[in-house]
Amino acid sequence: MKSFLTSVFACGRVLFLLSLAFLALTPLYASGQEPYRGWEQSETEHFLIIFEPKDSHHAYELASFADETYTKISRALNHAPSGKIPVILAGRTAFANGSFAPMPNRITLYLTSPDDRFLGTRTENWLKTVFTHELTHYLHLTSPIGIGKYLAIFGPGMIAFNQVLMPLWWIEGLTVYAESVYSEGGRGDSPLFALQWEAPLLEEKMWSLAQGSYSSHMPPSGRYYLTGYLMVDYLVHHYGEETIIAINNQFTGFPFLGMDSAFRSHTGMTALEIFSAALKEQADKLASRSRFRTGTLFSPDEPGTYSLPYRTEAGLIGLTAHPDRTARMVRYGANETETSMLAVIPGADGLSFSASDDGLKVAYSRIHSTSWEYGAIGTAAVSYADIVLYNVDDDSSVWLTSGGRFLHPALSPDGKKLIAIEATGTRYRLVRIPMDGGDGEVLYDNPETSVYEPRFSPDGRSIAFIETSHGLSSLRIMDEDGIRSVVPPGRAEIRYPRFSGSDTLLFSSDVDGTFALYGADISSSKNTDGESSILLLARDPSGVLGAIRDGERYIYATATAEGQALRSIPATEVLNEPVIWKTEEHRPSGQEQSEEASKEFPTSRYHDIPRFSYWFPVLGLEFGDSTGGVYGVSASFDSLLQKNSVNLSATWQTAEQIISIYALYRHSPGPFVLEQQTAIGFSLNGGSGAGSVLESQTAVTVPLARKIGFRGTGLLHLAGMAYLGFDLSEGFALSQEKITLQYDWNESAPVTALFGRDGFLMGMSVSASQDKSAGNAWSPAFAFLSVQKAVAGRANHVVRLDADLGVSLTDHRISSILLPSNSPVSSASPWETHTDFRAKLRAGLSYSIPWAIDQPLPCYGGITGIGLTLKAESMAYLLDSGMAWEEDVYLSAELGITLKIGSLSAITPKIGVIYSPARNSVRGYVSMLGTTMGIGASSHRLIGVL
């Protein structure tokens, strides 16, 4: 046995060293991306800007306006914090975002601008607008007022506690208003943003103020942005900006009964009454649209998004997305509102989907993210957008790019050429994607502009695209004669271009105040002044968001209360009204920054050192045989990039007279995660617990392979752990080494799939342990397998099979393992028929049913989902005498409720029961935030914090 243990220990050490060696072999960046070279920093009067060297130009640009923006917003919010505000630039993303995060307080800005231009195309500078938005969050949520002011004694990370009970519409309403007023453009100046409340108002399906406090699984999912902007904009225009600060200060002083008291004190109206007044004001503005003709419904009458289809030889083919389903490609039938599914296209959207004229080829962008690269940080994973070519006839797919950031793919009519836009910094340029996987080609790249929505002409010889620059939009054509404007630059938004024949380009614009359909005569743009003949073709009360000509009718997209629908109008009923286009030229502000000037930007190396976040007193009680208390202190230190963290605690158990000191260090640079835990305990009473104990555990997790599939994502990773425990009075006591290999794959799932869709998990672990004080050694091994399958015909119901096997690799017998799932009992009194066994198998079959709901809760948030899981489980043993069955089947039911409260992430408290027929016994439990506690347990230990 000794030689066997020695071999196991040696094997463990070898695997552990192999894990470490693998770290050195892990690629530092994806193919085709700039190498990772660490992080740099630069300072302004009020900011610490952190960025990768490759993004120094953007850091310089941010520094040029950061302090000025700070002055405006800090004055408006009446808060100027001491110290420099950290701002992190994330330059390895395939989509747009930004965030404020506490512990430690910091701002993160994604450099990639939104390809769908969700801020509106009149936004002159993405970086400035998103910075304005997130800086408003920072100054608002770190203001030393209310509960946060007093909790700040526990550390700087606690001052942002005010946001926990604050309605999300109030948090985001302030920022959307700020981005629209203190920067150029913003969502307050976006007609597409406004359509998301205008369509529900027109259909009399507006959500309530309470529902506006949290996100929904139904479109529009970000309704708290809309609700908040409507509220704040109305308050400012009718009561002034100072009222916003007064309401905020009063509410944060006592945030437990909602915002009505604060609203009533400063406006004489409740928050609901203000919301109703704001909606009435908007509804009055929409009255003039009643004269617009509404087309005949073409898509199915159901929630979801129906994107503008393509005319093909196989019929009209388009993309749809529904809250209960992943995106899928459909063919529209001869009868209106009928569709048939052709393929599931997870992750695709209408802007990044294109079909060839024969309907046999489809190109789309697939966005995928990973936190296992050096460039990833805690608030921004590394993400990519790669092009997939789907062949309809044989249901096959192929990746055309790898590790790129390509969006808006467009196939030529014959399906032999492909173009797309590529993210480069904050801009997009036009590129050609080779169909054979070779090197691509940049077709158009203007350092002052971005390109969107390219489209081939019917003969494949011309390319139309939208170009934006400094808040101005134009529609341009590229052909053998060069590049010319079809629609000249102007403040009006331009979206959704589609060719209608060889001489007409259809597009949508808000040049007259709301999105309508226009047609430009391409041939007329070839005259000397480059202007086209432009006609107004159609209007709709809820806007026209692109159109195609299909024989003797036009099919167009329009906003609805629950997403986007398709409608049709006869070609004989289009307006054909001539339009004089409003043009405008960019006027330089004098703040434009050149890359040459940024080369002299002073920078220094940034080291991601943990900084103090918070501390808590530990005050707890011990129940059961002990009669004392537990007292102490716990502290947390976190780095800005979240690559390093330290947790420290010191406690005193009064009954046993034991002082314990604990430290955890976590290092996660990207390609691996390293954790070091150390604990030491001193006994002061000289009794049975006399002596001192030292424990140390090191763990490393390394990804071995990552598979991005067309339906889902799989990850294979290896984890190694080494543990040593010492009794300092007697010497070495316990050691353990463990290696785990695991692979999991999960299918992309819609937002209402609370339990996911198809999934697969398998793995094994081997450990070797030696207890010197007991004079024994053992080496258990575990294998686990889980297979989950979505039930056909049921909305995201899933059936799941779980099997876990535990085996002793030595003569040592094992017990109290693989107990019934979620069993709330301790190992001292388990439900287990046999003990001291060689091996144990636990197998279970479960059925899970999700219900997506939208039920607001008073003041703070709502319930967005309920999930029920029914499970049957049993065990089998390998004893010295042979195989044995548990002779029992454990039946369990678990109910989970998904809550969204304030600014918190969704939490899912669960309650469950487990029934043992053989024992005729029932045990209950509650579970939340990873902690499970039995209901009615006779003895347990409770240690809490203030």
Side-chain angles (χ1 to χ4, degrees), residues 8 28 34 74 159 182 206 367 450 616 625 661 781 842 904:
V8 172
L28 304 188
E34 291 194 50
S74 63
I159 198 170
Y182 297 112
M206 191 67 190
I367 295 179
S450 274
F616 276 124
D625 297 333
I661 300 173
R842 179 181 67 185
L904 296 176

Side-chain angles (χ1 to χ4, degrees), residues 380-551:
V382 174
S383 56
Y384 302 97
D386 286 306
I387 306 296
V388 178
L389 183 66
Y390 174 70
N391 296 292
V392 177
D393 53 353
D394 61 0
D395 190 29
S396 64
S397 299
V398 61
W399 293 99
L400 295 182
T401 67
S402 176
R405 296 185 175 97
F406 302 103
L407 296 158
H408 299 190
L411 281 167
S412 61
D414 60 8
K416 295 181 179 180
K417 293 182 289 186
L418 178 66
I419 55 176
I421 62 172
E422 181 183 19
T424 171
T426 59
R427 302 184 302 105
Y428 291 93
R429 61 186 181 186
L430 182 64
V431 297
R432 179 185 63 85
I433 306 294
M435 304 291 281
D436 58 3
D439 294 333
E441 175 188 2
V442 176
L443 299 179
Y444 181 71
D445 184 10
N446 184 333
E448 295 296 321
T449 70
S450 274
V451 171
Y452 304 94
E453 300 184 65
R455 293 286 180 262
F456 276 104
S457 62
D459 60 8
R461 300 174 62 182
S462 302
I463 298 172
F465 59 87
I466 297 168
E467 185 172 32
T468 66
S469 176
H470 304 285
L472 306 180
S473 298
S474 61
L475 188 57
R476 312 197 74 188
I477 289 283
M478 173 188 292
D479 56 23
E480 62 271 15
D481 297 326
I483 299 176
R484 67 183 187 279
S485 290
V486 174
V487 179
R491 298 288 291 177
E493 291 205 5
I494 297 175
R495 295 178 183 262
Y496 318 115
R498 289 289 186 94
F499 279 93
S500 177
S502 58
D503 293 329
T504 302
L505 195 57
L506 304 177
F507 65 96
S508 291
S509 177
D510 71 327
V511 69
D512 67 347
T514 186
F515 274 112
L517 179 65
Y518 297 87
D521 184 355
I522 301 173
S523 59
S524 66
S525 66
K526 292 185 177 182
N527 58 29
T528 55
D529 57 15
E531 294 181 357
S532 304
S533 298
I534 300 175
L535 299 176
L536 169 64
L537 301 179
R539 291 191 177 100
D540 187 281
S542 295
V544 178
L545 306 177
I548 60 170
R549 176 76 180 262
D550 181 42

Side-chain angles (χ1 to χ4, degrees), residues 13 67 70 83 104 146 254 263 273 342 352 362 369 380-381 473 515 528 545 673 708 719 725 747 754 809 823 827 940:
R13 293 188 184 97
D67 288 329
Y70 171 92
F254 189 80
F263 266 75
E273 290 170 339
L342 297 178
S352 291
V362 167
S369 304
S473 298
F515 274 112
T528 55
L545 306 177
V673 174
I708 306 299
E747 180 187 21
L754 304 182
L809 301 180
S823 175
S827 60
H940 65 276

Side-chain angles (χ1 to χ4, degrees), residues 82-233:
S82 60
K84 295 185 186 296
I85 299 174
V87 182
I88 305 165
L89 301 185
R92 296 181 184 268
T93 64
F95 55 92
N97 203 356
S99 68
F100 158 75
M103 301 183 188
N105 297 325
R106 63 202 182 279
I107 292 171
T108 302
L109 307 178
Y110 289 27
L111 291 182
T112 304
S113 60
D115 71 292
D116 60 356
R117 294 168 285 162
F118 65 78
L119 293 182
T121 57
R122 286 186 280 275
T123 297
E124 295 193 12
N125 185 313
W126 155 252
L127 194 58
K128 184 175 183 179
T129 302
V130 70
F131 172 71
T132 301
H133 182 106
E134 302 306 337
L135 179 59
T136 304
H137 273 320
Y138 190 104
L139 296 178
H140 173 216
L141 299 176
T142 62
S143 296
I145 56 176
I147 295 177
K149 176 181 179 180
Y150 302 102
L151 290 179
I153 64 174
F154 295 110
M158 296 304 298
I159 198 170
F161 181 84
N162 288 333
Q163 66 180 309
V164 173
L165 299 178
M166 191 175 288
L168 207 51
W169 60 259
W170 183 251
I171 294 175
E172 294 297 349
L174 292 175
T175 56
V176 173
Y177 174 80
E179 79 184 32
S180 306
V181 173
Y182 297 112
S183 67
E184 298 78 12
R187 275 166 281 201
D189 192 22
S190 168
L192 203 59
F193 183 69
L195 276 177
Q196 295 180 76
W197 73 69
E198 291 173 351
L201 283 174
L202 289 167
E203 297 177 33
E204 298 184 351
K205 294 182 178 180
M206 191 67 190
W207 59 84
S208 67
L209 178 62
Q211 289 173 315
S213 297
Y214 57 94
S215 60
S216 169
H217 54 273
M218 299 295 294
S221 61
R223 62 191 179 193
Y224 47 88
Y225 290 99
L226 303 158
T227 306
Y229 177 72
L230 287 171
M231 292 287 283
V232 173
D233 185 65

